[in-house]
Amino acid sequence: MAIKALDRAEANACIAKVCGRFQLKLPSAERCDELFGACDASVDGLIQIDEFVKYYNGLQDFIKTKLTRENRHNYIHLKFREEMIEARTRPTPLRELLKVLKGLLTP
């Protein structure tokens, strides 16, 4: 039997499962309701398959943001690699490297 829609409880269970998988703190009930309401275009209390795309993208953005905030060390390391190692073909002067790192390390 194919799932045709998610209700609010199923959507919240989905968020809980994803947060558990990535070891993230659960968002507030208000934040979950906000995401659900933004995606429930038909305002019937269910997220149909066409609305699910928007819900999934919103959840993906939320997880990306949470991972960035809650795991800042890995984020800084990733940005360092992107900016200074993988994306550059020329040697980077130390002064330029320190400028970029200072921008990443300041909250």
Side-chain angles (χ1 to χ4, degrees), residues 32-94:
C32 291
D33 288 344
E34 180 184 315
L35 178 60
F36 188 89
C39 299
D40 185 17
S42 59
V43 195
D44 61 355
L46 298 171
I47 296 178
Q48 282 75 23
I49 194 71
D50 58 324
E51 297 168 329
F52 182 77
V53 173
K54 185 174 180 183
Y55 180 78
Y56 180 81
N57 289 337
L59 184 58
Q60 187 177 12
D61 291 343
F62 168 78
I63 295 299
K64 190 184 324 178
T65 301
K66 290 287 277 184
L67 283 171
T68 300
R69 287 184 186 154
E70 293 183 14
N71 201 349
R72 190 157 175 77
H73 173 74
N74 285 345
Y75 175 72
I76 290 170
H77 182 261
L78 174 68
K79 283 300 184 187
F80 172 78
R81 288 188 61 191
E82 287 175 356
E83 291 286 325
M84 296 301 155
I85 298 172
E86 296 169 0
R88 305 257 186 212
T89 57
R90 63 173 177 82
T92 303
L94 182 58

